[in-house]
Amino acid sequence: MEMKKQAIPGSVNAVTVVDVHHWTNRLFSFRVTRPDSFRFRSGEFVMIGLMKDDGKPLLRAYSIASPSWDHELDFFSIKVEDGPLTSRLQKIQVGDEILLGKKPTGTLVLDALLPGKTLYLLSTGTGIAPFASVIRDPETYDRFDHVVLTHTCRDVAELAYGEKIVKDTLEDPLVGEMVQGRLTHYTSTTREAHTHTGRITTLIENGKLFEDLGRKPFNKDEDRVMICGSMGMLQDTKDLCEAAGLTEGANSMPGEFVIEKAFVG
Ligand code: A2P
């Protein structure tokens, strides 16, 4: 698929696809070149997309799934058959060009959280993408003693991307040693048998998550939480954080938890 040679708007750069991996019939990830001028904080999102036939860009917000020190950029995406962007984006191949916005932003960043001891990263589906960035940032381990990454998907096959990211993190020459013994990956499924089953909200509510981790329930003094998933997941998980006495943070006013919607279509 070759992008038509049309004028590219000033708010985006054209970048080249260097890798594409299809994880399931619903999920794929891809890697693109990183412009020298492109700076971001681990956990942020950026607009990415393709040129439409009418010469206008079709852009959607995507979390950057690689850490801020990486020389290329990773993204993890759902495939929606009739989705305006993902129906086309899922066909990209190595060597193709896509559009990358110039202004990354977002709230799933360390700066939006008050200091704490344990950082919980709660994700469903493609909501793991920003955390694939955060768990590979050395600053995360400077600020927190321990990081717990939870990932809940419908079935076991959908957990594969997260398993790979965590394995790569532990083996990474730059951060691997720092992460050893300090990152816990907790996976659950809701529509297939697995070691742990159930929605993350259920596992928090009934205490099973904390029991399995050998940790105490959320505690305002020590625990900080980042949440990324569907609208329903965000609302329900946010309610549980607030019930535990945690307050929502933002870049302008750090707090005890932060949320962001995963890309959906
Ligand atoms: P479920 O199978 O019970 O719907 P999706 O792929 O649809 O985005 O879902 C990803 C995961 O998020 C699924 O395991 C799904 O569970 C779960 N999920 C969906 N809605 C919520 C919610 N409101 N709270 C917590 N988890 C949710």
Side-chain angles (χ1 to χ4, degrees):
M1 188 182 57
E2 198 181 323
M3 203 157 64
K4 293 223 168 73
K5 293 288 173 221
Q6 285 154 332
I8 290 175
S11 59
V12 295
N13 281 308
V15 292
T16 307
V17 176
V18 295
D19 190 44
V20 184
H21 188 97
H22 292 269
W23 298 90
T24 69
N25 58 5
R26 250 171 37 104
L27 298 170
F28 74 113
S29 62
F30 53 96
R31 195 164 168 82
V32 301
T33 51
R34 178 176 177 170
D36 288 342
S37 58
F38 189 81
R39 297 272 171 274
F40 70 102
R41 294 178 295 171
S42 297
E44 286 188 321
F45 67 83
V46 65
M47 303 305 284
I48 63 171
L50 297 167
M51 276 304 218
K52 290 187 291 180
D53 291 337
D54 65 4
K56 294 194 181 122
L58 176 60
L59 301 166
R60 293 285 184 272
Y62 268 82
S63 290
I64 303 164
S66 40
S68 53
W69 49 260
D70 207 342
H71 69 290
E72 291 169 335
L73 303 169
D74 285 327
F75 297 95
F76 182 42
S77 178
I78 193 127
K79 307 178 200 177
V80 180
E81 210 172 303
D82 53 2
L85 180 61
T86 62
S87 59
R88 289 180 57 204
L89 196 63
Q90 64 179 282
K91 299 193 182 109
I92 53 167
Q93 293 183 358
V94 171
D96 287 347
E97 280 191 347
I98 68 163
L99 303 175
L100 174 78
K102 290 182 178 170
K103 287 204 176 106
T105 182
T107 53
L108 300 180
V109 291
L110 295 168
D111 290 343
L113 289 175
L114 293 165
K117 287 193 174 159
T118 304
L119 175 63
Y120 285 87
L121 307 171
L122 310 180
S123 66
T124 55
T126 57
I128 195 172
F131 304 146
S133 176
V134 172
I135 61 167
R136 282 180 281 180
D137 191 327
E139 202 183 329
T140 301
Y141 303 89
D142 288 342
R143 296 206 194 187
F144 293 94
D145 296 341
H146 205 93
V147 179
V148 176
L149 167 65
T150 80
H151 191 204
T152 306
C153 292
R154 296 181 184 185
D155 55 43
V156 174
E158 293 186 343
L159 297 171
Y161 174 81
E163 305 279 3
K164 172 80 165 53
I165 291 295
V166 169
K167 184 170 175 286
D168 287 354
T169 303
L170 292 167
E171 291 171 359
D172 189 274
L174 186 74
V175 294
E177 214 171 304
M178 191 176 214
V179 177
Q180 294 289 339
R182 295 173 65 192
L183 171 66
T184 303
H185 184 208
Y186 184 98
T187 56
S188 74
T189 50
T190 49
R191 303 190 191 184
E192 190 183 4
H194 180 55
T195 322
H196 305 296
T197 53
R199 289 184 170 192
I200 190 61
T201 41
T202 309
L203 297 167
I204 292 171
E205 257 181 315
N206 66 17
K208 177 101 176 26
L209 173 71
F210 305 106
E211 201 179 294
D212 290 339
L213 295 170
R215 295 182 164 268
K216 297 204 181 77
F218 290 149
N219 163 351
K220 184 181 169 63
D221 297 330
E222 298 188 348
D223 298 327
R224 301 294 171 256
V225 187
M226 292 185 178
I227 309 166
C228 191
S230 60
M231 287 309 281
M233 180 271 192
L234 293 186
Q235 187 58 56
D236 294 349
T237 316
K238 174 183 159 140
D239 289 348
L240 292 172
C241 286
E242 287 179 342
L246 277 62
T247 50
E248 187 172 353
N251 277 286
S252 54
M253 195 195 284
E256 286 129 6
F257 76 93
V258 281
I259 65 174
E260 206 139 77
K261 187 166 163 278
F263 177 74
V264 283

